[in-house]
Amino acid sequence: MKFREARRALRWFDLWRGLGWSMIAAVLYLSLMPNPPSLDVSAGDKWSHAAGYAGLMLWFAQLYARPLHWRLAAGLIGLGVSIEFAQGMTDYRSFEYLDMLADASGVFIGWWLGGTRFGAILQRAERLVLAR
């Protein structure tokens, strides 16, 4: 199945997809900037990774039908791994296997959430707006 064939019936699909790609750009920027913001909790960095990738996976899971979710997951995990290698090539960020694990964990959480009521937030939002 191709991505074009797996698109969900969303009136503003192109807007939602564009916002998703903007979120990916934000993750890239935050991942490669010299001094990123951090959470002041134990392992805050790992929580940020997991939450960010869970959000990305959940977002894109809402845009495409379930048979393609494994490809979305593979792509996002690949993004996380690639970013870690890019960070290792800088002199101001570090390469960490645990960050990759946190990214992948987030992807799987987002994948799971995509199969729950959370996986239809955009559809419900469109219905609410269009019902007015």
Side-chain angles (χ1 to χ4, degrees):
M1 178 179 277
K2 296 181 182 178
F3 277 94
R4 184 174 301 270
E5 298 165 356
R7 287 171 49 156
R8 294 202 192 263
L10 293 162
R11 182 178 181 120
W12 300 310
F13 178 86
D14 291 332
L15 171 66
W16 303 133
R17 183 177 54 192
L19 287 171
W21 280 103
S22 296
M23 289 186 269
I24 288 175
V27 165
L28 280 167
Y29 176 73
L30 290 167
S31 298
L32 296 173
M33 68 185 294
N35 295 310
S38 62
L39 297 175
D40 282 335
V41 296
S42 177
D45 172 46
K46 305 309 177 248
W47 287 108
S48 297
H49 280 263
Y53 280 82
L56 286 173
M57 182 63 198
L58 176 60
W59 188 267
F60 283 99
Q62 293 179 81
L63 300 180
Y64 297 98
R66 200 103 168 114
L68 275 151
H69 290 186
W70 70 271
R71 289 172 62 186
L72 294 169
L76 289 172
I77 291 170
L79 174 68
V81 170
S82 299
I83 287 173
E84 283 306 312
F85 278 98
Q87 286 177 341
M89 291 181 213
T90 68
D91 58 352
Y92 52 87
R93 297 298 296 265
S94 61
F95 174 93
E96 292 186 41
Y97 288 109
L98 287 178
D99 285 352
M100 289 184 217
L101 181 61
D103 297 342
S105 298
V107 168
F108 289 115
I109 291 167
W111 191 350
W112 173 74
L113 287 172
T116 68
R117 292 177 34 167
F118 291 107
I121 292 171
L122 296 177
Q123 291 168 331
R124 286 195 297 270
E126 284 190 354
R127 275 196 306 267
L128 284 171
V129 170
L130 295 173
R132 292 182 179 203

